[in-house]
Amino acid sequence: MLFVEGFRAVLVLIGALAGIEVGREIDASPAPVIGMVVGALLAYVLGGLLGRLLDRERVGALRRFEKVPPGELFAGTLTGTAGLLLGAALCLPFLAIWHSELVYPITTLVAWVFAWFGFRIGAVKGRQVAAAAGLTRILAPPTEPPPGFALLVDASAVMDRSLLVLGQAGLLMGGLVVPQFVVDQVRTLAAGPDPVSSRRARRGLEAIEALRERGVSVHVAAEELPEYDDQSQRLLEMARRLDLRLATCSGPLKDAARSRNLPVTDLRHLAEDLAPDHAAGEQLVVDILKTGSQPRQGVGYLPDGDMVVVNDAAHLVGRHGVHVEVLSTTRTHQGLLVFAQLDPTVPPDEGWGHEAVDGAEAEPEHEPAPSDKVGSRRRG
């Protein structure tokens, strides 16, 4: 309301002065007074309408920029001041030509509007303004998530399924910060010739979009930090400037972060610590989806996405709810790999489950995406 009433007050002053000027042109003694009253009343009504319209835009801008970083606030102040001076400069010809009291409140109104929209432009383009002023090193690059709570991720973390699992569990409340150069690297790998890296990169990009849909704040930081040639150094410097924890699956990057006393989380070790320990002899229930690389092997997946290789189960491809017994487990770069056999304690009629419904394909063309794996947990 302060903005609206201030705008209305200036406009009422303009209307009153305009009414006096019009009244002076009329050869009657009460004309200036009547003109002042009429002009003030019209300006009061018009000022309320225009002020509320501008205030609506102002409120919308404030809602979008409730957490304006220092860099954008500084840039908004610079451009707001420049807008104020520009608005006043545009009115200088009227001050020189039009010798009237009316020109001063008009100049004030124009300067006020230019200053306000100048501030808004500066807030939106804060990074570019700070870079143009050579203040990038002084003003930390802005970020949406609160410093210290978000995770700054590299390419290895983006392509690891742990991020999606953490997000679906509600453990990424601070959100993610993904540098633009990391996004470019993952997209390059997704379009590359290596089928394994390409599949993992595409899965990582899909996981980022899935996290956005689940309400996780994913901020793509546009800062390139060209003063650092090595990408690892860029990540470490960005983590230092933003005061964020670095999430990675890279051993060298983790060691480099610890050498600089930067907080870092190794997602691969986290997954190992959280992974279920399937001991030998444990009974599991899986769906046999395809044949294995070795003769007579069947392959299925646990609800969390881990692969289960079952001996002598190739004839059960397409069966759901097959009872198996764990023989051993091993850790791979794609997760936990479980080796099993058909449960000898369960009769075949009961332990071989049931056939797929509605003619579902027994052998998928590719490994289920992380979202599919998590969905199987719900179905189970």
Side-chain angles (χ1 to χ4, degrees), residues 152-159 179 182 185-186 235 246-250 253:
L152 178 67
V153 295
D154 67 343
S156 65
V158 171
M159 294 190 295
V182 169
Q185 179 185 6
V186 177
L235 284 164
L246 181 63
T248 181
C249 295
S250 170
L253 184 59

Side-chain angles (χ1 to χ4, degrees), residues 26 52 54 58 75 91 115 131 159 206-207 226 231 234 307 326 370:
I26 301 175
R52 286 185 176 85
L54 291 175
R58 179 184 64 85
C91 295
M159 294 190 295
E206 293 171 357
Q231 189 169 111
R234 292 184 185 180
M307 181 184 292
V326 176

Side-chain angles (χ1 to χ4, degrees), residues 64-138:
R64 289 191 295 268
F65 301 108
E66 288 179 348
K67 300 176 181 180
V68 179
E72 294 186 2
L73 181 61
F74 177 80
T77 303
L78 283 180
T79 53
T81 304
L84 178 66
L85 297 176
L86 177 61
L90 290 176
C91 295
L92 286 178
F94 296 98
L95 290 171
I97 298 172
W98 190 8
H99 300 285
S100 172
E101 296 86 353
L102 188 61
V103 73
Y104 295 104
I106 292 178
T107 302
T108 303
L109 183 63
V110 172
W112 171 252
V113 174
F114 269 76
W116 177 253
F117 283 102
F119 178 82
R120 287 193 59 190
I121 293 173
V124 173
K125 297 292 184 180
R127 303 172 195 171
Q128 291 86 341
V129 174
L135 299 174
T136 306
R137 292 176 178 269
I138 300 175

